[in-house]
Amino acid sequence: MASQPQPQPQLLLLLLLLLSTITAAINPGTSLYANNSKQTWASPNSTYSMGFLPADPPTSPPTFIAAVAYAGGVSIWSAGGINNIAVDSGGALHFESTGNLRLVNGSGAAVWSSDTGDLGVSSLDVGDDGNLVLNNGSATVWSSFDHPTDSMVPSQNFNISKVLRSGLYSFGITKMGNLTLKWNNSIEYWTQGLNSSIRNNPWDPKSVVTITTNLSSPSLALQSIGILSISDRNLPTAAIAAYSSDYAEGSDILRFLKLDSDGNLRIYSSARGSGTKTERWAAVTDQCQVFGYCGDMGICSYNDSFPVCGCPSQNFELVDPKDSRKGCKRKVEIDDCPGNATMLDLEHTRFLTYPPEYQAQVFFVGISTCRLNCLVSGSCDASTSLSDGTGLCFYKTPGFLSGYSSPAMSSRSYIKVCGSVSPNPLPSSQNVGNSKKWKIRPWIVAFVVLTTLFSLMALEGGLWWWFCRNRPNFGGLSAHYALLEYASGAPVQFSYKELQHATKRFKEKLGSGGFGTVYRAVLSNKTVAAVKQLEGIEQGEKQFRMEVATICSTHHMNLVRLVGFCSEGRHRLLVYEFMKNGSLDSFLFNTEGNSGRLLNWECRFNIALGTARGITYLHEECRDCIVHCDIKPENILLNENYCAKVSDFGLAKLIDAKDHRYRTLKSVRGTRGYLAPEWLANLPVTSKSDVYSYGMVLLETVSGKRNFEVSAETNHKKFSVWAYEEFMNGNIQNIVDKRLVVDQDVDMDQVMRAVQVSFWCIQDQPSHRPMMGKVVQMLEGIMEIERPPAPKAAPEVSISRNASSNASALSSAATSAAPAQSSFSSFQTTGTPLASEKA
């Protein structure tokens, strides 16, 4: 028998060294020092490491925190506890021989300890999941995952016994499955989850609706792709609580949950080695609604789009002039007041009132009574009247006051101050001795003043005309001032500088789509508007103005009105009327921040019908048929009365023709599920393409689910295919949104009509689909609806971000669509009969 080859001693030694490097643990008696940032305890693949990082924000002289950090230096856990205790440059982290982990300052004083000195700890490990573990050889004695500070990473188990803390703020999950943010462990200012208290009016405690689900041991998990979900053994599947905005994008990206010092809970993402973090989701969208953000008696407001803190009036002063977030104090306390106390009137201001304050501090009284009752009560320090006709009044007992001020608020608040509130000083009077002359001959003075004003105005106007008459944009300026009168109904021409000012330099983003980004604006006449900054516009000035004029000529109650436009150089912007309730998608789909936005069936059906009427006007009632090309819930906006208005119509013609196909393919990622098959089959796009998109939107309106969703509930089939099978089996109630009470609130006859119409609209052959006018008649019940044939699943193309992938996708889509092209061309234009009029 041949002898087996023996391994070389050098190779064995190399393997042993490599194995010891991978599995090596930190032994007791090892230390890290703040003045040596390069010294760390790293995980096997160096994804995480334990070491010292500079304090954030930086201090002078510099201080450091002992933290577990992701590759690049983003902290996910700190040894200083919930307050991120920092040490000076002489500080150290000692893994003592007793097994205790101890953080000391430069003086040697201990500032934090793991308290594991007598538990037999023999080694320390930093795992590739970010968990810092103290072991006794066979079991885990202590771990950072069991003692979280302000952050949570994927693979970290977070149950009802765990709490994230940052200063006075805390975050946790309750036994009922609710995620909650609290101030000082008492004021619950945000909640979301399976059993959240959903308030139709967040300031009305009587509008609370509680959803109850029996849970045994709920836990929270953050997936590496950016999904925050709640799990429990009594739930068939995990309930999604939030999505990261960069969901499933990129590789080597850490997404982590963090409770920031401002009291807001956020999901961040950090690319490996970058050392930076980017906000991807926030629990509280309005930072000023975080309780205590500006400290006691501080008032939160906005400067442009950033929250700022201030005091109620000059009767108060900042506790710390260097940090306005530490709150305010009265210059003279009420107990030290030499005279009587009075109430300071604060317009457009509200003192935040959250549970459990509702039960004891809410009354239904008039505005003046709300003020006076607090003034005479020793147990009341301030009060807020909503001033919206409800009669709601909130009394605030002495303790902690957190205020929010905004010009959009109708509420009025009052706070006790010592003595009278001093008004602003009036301008000092001059020439008092000459007052007699004013009384004797006032007409002389009036004549001189008016003559001077008119002369100056005439001089200024003449100079302006002389210097500007030969400027190329002089005619545009003249047209602008003529259009401001709105007499002709023509669109107003705005300058780019005006819209920059109206949008606060494009700070407040409302949304974005295939044609550009939309921003909130306040025009010079104080009207709130939405400004869309168009992208990919290559048309000349004259052609652009003609297309804008065409859009403005369309007037219908179910179309968003175009107010004006801007065309300066490369800048192309459209100004629309503002829709208070946003887009339909925020009400239909249960995404982060929208769990309480639920439309009843009556409202949904009216929205579907209104949308159909708006599209019908574009297709059949305009002088020229306008094909929308991008019907989806995001482009259906709702006004204050939840009246549906279609937006972005006519914009497809503004895109340069040679770029049209590229733009369409590029936008597949944003509107997948709504594109008709002819888009991807390189066939002519007609108004029937809008009908297909509307059918998908109608099905989503009924179900509250995205039409392209695939889940266990749909037997892993595309939702539209599964829904048709349920329809054929007579299980129409299974298609209806589960959040609606079918037996009480839903008109099943309307549901049946809507579902059948949606299946007719999403037929693969354009000629099988009805015209939008027929769709309206079928929804209204004027026409009977025959049973629709099964719709085919539309082909989908995965589009990457580079041009070569786009070209490849286009080629493959055209190839796969070749048989469909043949069937389209041979099909008769009459198609299958859709409906017959009632006798």
Side-chain angles (χ1 to χ4, degrees):
M1 174 181 258
S3 60
Q4 296 293 329
Q6 298 297 318
Q8 297 295 326
Q10 295 86 349
L11 182 60
L12 283 175
L13 181 60
L14 181 62
L15 290 174
L16 288 174
L17 287 173
L18 180 62
L19 184 62
S20 64
T21 302
I22 294 176
T23 59
I26 306 300
N27 296 319
T30 309
S31 298
L32 296 173
Y33 296 95
N35 59 7
N36 187 0
S37 60
K38 294 183 179 180
Q39 180 190 15
T40 61
W41 299 331
S43 66
N45 65 5
S46 299
T47 300
Y48 294 92
S49 61
M50 181 75 199
F52 279 95
L53 300 174
D56 185 20
T59 60
S60 181
T63 55
F64 305 87
I65 60 170
V68 175
Y70 181 64
V74 175
S75 171
I76 63 160
W77 179 88
S78 63
I82 63 173
N83 293 318
N84 286 331
I85 297 175
V87 297
D88 55 29
S89 58
L93 181 67
H94 300 299
F95 183 29
E96 299 174 330
S97 58
T98 60
N100 189 40
L101 193 62
R102 191 163 64 103
L103 178 67
V104 299
N105 213 327
S107 63
V111 294
W112 176 86
S113 171
S114 64
D115 297 326
T116 54
D118 300 322
L119 301 179
V121 174
S122 58
S123 65
L124 178 151
D125 292 296
V126 178
D128 288 332
D129 56 357
N131 194 12
L132 175 68
V133 180
L134 300 180
N135 301 303
N136 65 1
S138 60
T140 297
V141 174
W142 183 97
S143 74
S144 61
F145 278 8
D146 289 332
H147 299 80
T149 51
D150 60 3
S151 302
M152 186 185 88
V153 296
S155 75
Q156 183 172 350
N157 179 36
F158 193 87
N159 52 36
I160 59 176
S161 65
K162 308 290 194 307
V163 179
L164 299 184
R165 296 187 184 277
S166 182
L168 289 174
Y169 297 103
S170 61
F171 165 75
I173 181 171
T174 67
K175 292 181 179 179
M176 298 180 65
N178 293 343
L179 309 181
T180 60
L181 286 171
K182 292 184 178 181
W183 174 86
N184 202 26
N185 288 328
S186 58
I187 303 298
E188 181 184 294
Y189 57 90
W190 179 85
T191 181
Q192 179 177 309
L194 300 177
N195 301 284
S196 302
S197 294
I198 301 171
R199 292 179 179 83
N200 299 323
N201 178 355
W203 303 102
D204 184 356
K206 291 192 173 183
S207 66
V208 174
V209 180
T210 302
I211 305 172
T212 56
T213 302
N214 293 323
L215 302 178
S216 57
S217 55
S219 63
L220 183 68
L222 177 64
Q223 298 181 28
S224 60
I225 58 176
I227 296 178
L228 189 66
S229 58
I230 302 171
S231 302
D232 187 83
R233 61 187 179 190
N234 290 340
L235 295 175
T237 58
I240 296 176
Y243 282 95
S244 171
S245 63
D246 64 343
Y247 159 72
E249 292 184 3
S251 58
D252 279 340
I253 293 178
L254 170 70
R255 296 175 179 88
F256 62 100
L257 190 70
K258 181 178 177 66
L259 177 61
D260 287 315
S261 60
D262 61 7
N264 212 337
L265 182 72
R266 296 179 175 90
I267 294 178
Y268 289 99
S269 64
S270 176
R272 186 184 181 98
S274 68
T276 61
K277 60 183 181 181
T278 304
E279 179 184 330
R280 300 298 184 182
W281 172 84
V284 185
T285 55
D286 187 343
Q287 183 62 42
C288 280
Q289 295 208 24
V290 172
F291 192 88
Y293 174 73
C294 288
D296 188 17
M297 298 187 192
I299 304 295
C300 182
S301 58
Y302 283 92
N303 180 10
D304 292 333
S305 59
F306 300 99
V308 293
C309 296
C311 295
S313 75
Q314 293 183 356
N315 297 75
F316 298 80
E317 60 185 359
L318 292 172
V319 172
D320 183 355
K322 296 181 180 179
D323 187 357
S324 60
R325 282 200 53 207
K326 290 186 178 179
C328 304
K329 61 181 180 179
R330 293 183 179 90
K331 292 180 178 178
V332 179
E333 294 297 333
I334 301 300
D335 293 339
D336 301 329
C337 185
N340 295 326
T342 187
M343 300 299 284
L344 173 66
D345 188 353
L346 302 172
E347 277 192 295
H348 310 298
T349 304
R350 174 177 293 154
F351 288 115
L352 300 181
T353 304
Y354 294 112
E357 297 176 305
Y358 278 130
Q359 289 71 20
Q361 296 179 217
V362 180
F363 300 90
F364 289 86
V365 295
I367 298 175
S368 59
T369 306
C370 183
R371 170 185 174 275
L372 292 174
N373 283 358
C374 183
L375 177 62
V376 299
S377 173
S379 61
C380 181
D381 205 24
S383 62
T384 291
S385 174
L386 294 194
S387 305
D388 58 358
T390 61
L392 269 174
C393 172
F394 299 92
Y395 290 161
K396 307 295 292 184
T397 57
F400 195 97
L401 293 176
S402 180
Y404 181 11
S405 178
S406 170
M409 284 186 183
S410 60
S411 45
R412 204 178 192 102
S413 291
Y414 309 93
I415 183 171
K416 283 183 180 178
V417 293
C418 180
S420 60
V421 180
S422 302
N424 292 326
L426 296 174
S428 58
S429 300
Q430 295 181 359
N431 300 324
V432 177
N434 297 330
S435 61
K436 198 170 185 179
K437 296 180 181 179
W438 286 81
K439 293 180 181 179
I440 295 174
R441 298 183 178 181
W443 63 271
I444 298 178
V445 178
F447 177 80
V448 171
V449 171
L450 291 175
T451 303
T452 303
L453 286 175
F454 279 117
S455 299
L456 290 174
M457 291 170 62
L459 178 61
E460 184 180 3
L463 290 173
W464 179 82
W465 180 84
W466 177 261
F467 287 108
C468 298
R469 60 195 177 100
N470 294 321
R471 294 174 69 96
N473 60 348
F474 178 73
L477 289 171
S478 300
H480 168 69
Y481 288 108
L483 288 171
L484 281 176
E485 298 179 4
Y486 297 95
S488 63
V492 177
Q493 180 183 351
F494 294 92
S495 68
Y496 184 70
K497 189 173 183 180
E498 286 176 45
L499 295 185
Q500 266 190 320
H501 177 73
T503 58
K504 298 179 180 178
R505 303 192 69 83
F506 305 99
K507 292 290 186 182
E508 189 172 345
K509 182 178 175 181
L510 297 177
S512 59
F515 299 102
T517 306
V518 184
Y519 301 90
R520 185 179 185 274
V522 179
L523 304 180
S524 57
N525 62 355
K526 306 305 180 184
T527 301
V528 180
V531 174
K532 178 180 285 290
Q533 195 168 33
L534 298 176
E535 300 169 359
I537 306 299
E538 301 294 338
Q539 291 180 329
E541 178 82 7
K542 183 177 180 181
Q543 183 65 23
F544 178 77
R545 288 173 180 267
M546 289 176 62
E547 296 299 343
V548 168
T550 300
I551 297 173
C552 279
S553 66
T554 58
H555 297 285
H556 192 274
M557 67 175 296
N558 296 115
L559 298 179
V560 176
R561 185 172 64 90
L562 180 63
V563 176
F565 72 101
C566 169
S567 178
E568 287 184 12
R570 61 184 178 84
H571 299 298
R572 298 286 194 275
L573 301 97
L574 298 177
V575 182
Y576 290 98
E577 65 177 320
F578 181 75
M579 295 289 103
K580 182 178 179 180
N581 281 312
S583 55
L584 178 60
D585 64 295
S586 65
F587 292 86
L588 290 183
F589 310 121
N590 191 10
T591 57
E592 66 271 16
N594 296 330
S595 59
R597 295 161 66 88
L598 181 64
L599 297 174
N600 60 31
W601 171 252
E602 181 182 4
C603 190
R604 293 188 191 208
F605 187 77
N606 289 334
I607 290 171
L609 190 57
T611 303
R613 288 170 177 162
I615 302 173
T616 300
Y617 176 84
L618 295 175
H619 288 182
E620 304 172 22
E621 299 171 17
C622 287
R623 181 179 60 183
D624 297 318
C625 174
I626 297 178
V627 181
H628 191 291
C629 298
D630 200 17
I631 299 292
K632 57 184 178 180
E634 289 80 354
N635 283 336
I636 299 171
L637 307 183
L638 308 178
N639 67 7
E640 64 273 13
N641 298 319
Y642 295 92
C643 174
K645 292 177 180 282
V646 180
S647 69
D648 277 8
F649 56 91
L651 298 190
K653 294 183 70 177
L654 295 175
I655 303 299
D656 191 38
K658 63 177 179 286
D659 292 334
H660 186 65
R661 280 292 301 173
Y662 173 72
R663 186 205 63 77
T664 302
L665 279 174
K666 188 172 72 172
S667 65
V668 168
R669 187 183 67 169
T671 55
R672 68 187 180 100
Y674 303 99
L675 292 177
E678 54 264 31
W679 279 98
L680 300 177
N682 202 23
L683 294 171
V685 175
T686 66
S687 61
K688 291 296 186 72
S689 304
D690 283 353
V691 176
Y692 181 95
S693 303
Y694 173 79
M696 287 299 186
V697 173
L698 183 58
L699 188 59
E700 292 178 338
T701 304
V702 174
S703 64
K705 292 184 174 64
R706 290 284 190 187
N707 69 77
F708 48 81
E709 282 186 1
V710 175
S711 64
E713 182 182 354
T714 62
N715 297 326
H716 301 286
K717 298 179 181 178
K718 189 175 177 181
F719 184 81
S720 56
V721 176
W722 173 84
Y724 185 82
E725 292 176 358
E726 293 295 308
F727 164 73
M728 292 298 293
N729 293 331
N731 299 327
I732 193 74
Q733 68 278 2
N734 289 349
I735 306 175
V736 181
D737 194 334
K738 300 298 186 295
R739 294 171 293 176
L740 299 177
V741 182
V742 175
D743 296 335
Q744 300 176 12
D745 300 330
V746 180
D747 186 332
M748 294 307 295
D749 290 337
Q750 289 181 346
V751 171
M752 178 62 75
R753 289 204 303 273
V755 169
Q756 291 187 87
V757 169
S758 69
F759 291 141
W760 274 117
C761 291
I762 63 176
Q763 292 297 306
D764 195 37
Q765 305 285 357
S767 55
H768 288 188
R769 304 170 201 154
M771 298 290 288
M772 284 305 301
K774 297 292 184 183
V775 169
V776 173
Q777 293 178 1
M778 287 189 283
L779 288 176
E780 291 176 337
I782 298 175
M783 299 183 67
E784 293 182 355
I785 310 172
E786 296 181 5
R787 174 168 291 189
K792 296 180 181 178
E796 293 186 9
V797 180
S798 178
I799 305 298
S800 69
R801 296 183 180 181
N802 54 60
S804 61
S805 298
N806 286 333
S808 175
L810 175 58
S811 175
S812 62
T815 303
S816 64
Q821 186 172 1
S822 174
S823 64
F824 272 113
S825 59
S826 63
F827 196 85
Q828 299 298 318
T829 57
T830 54
T832 304
L834 291 172
S836 57
E837 294 189 9
K838 289 184 178 179

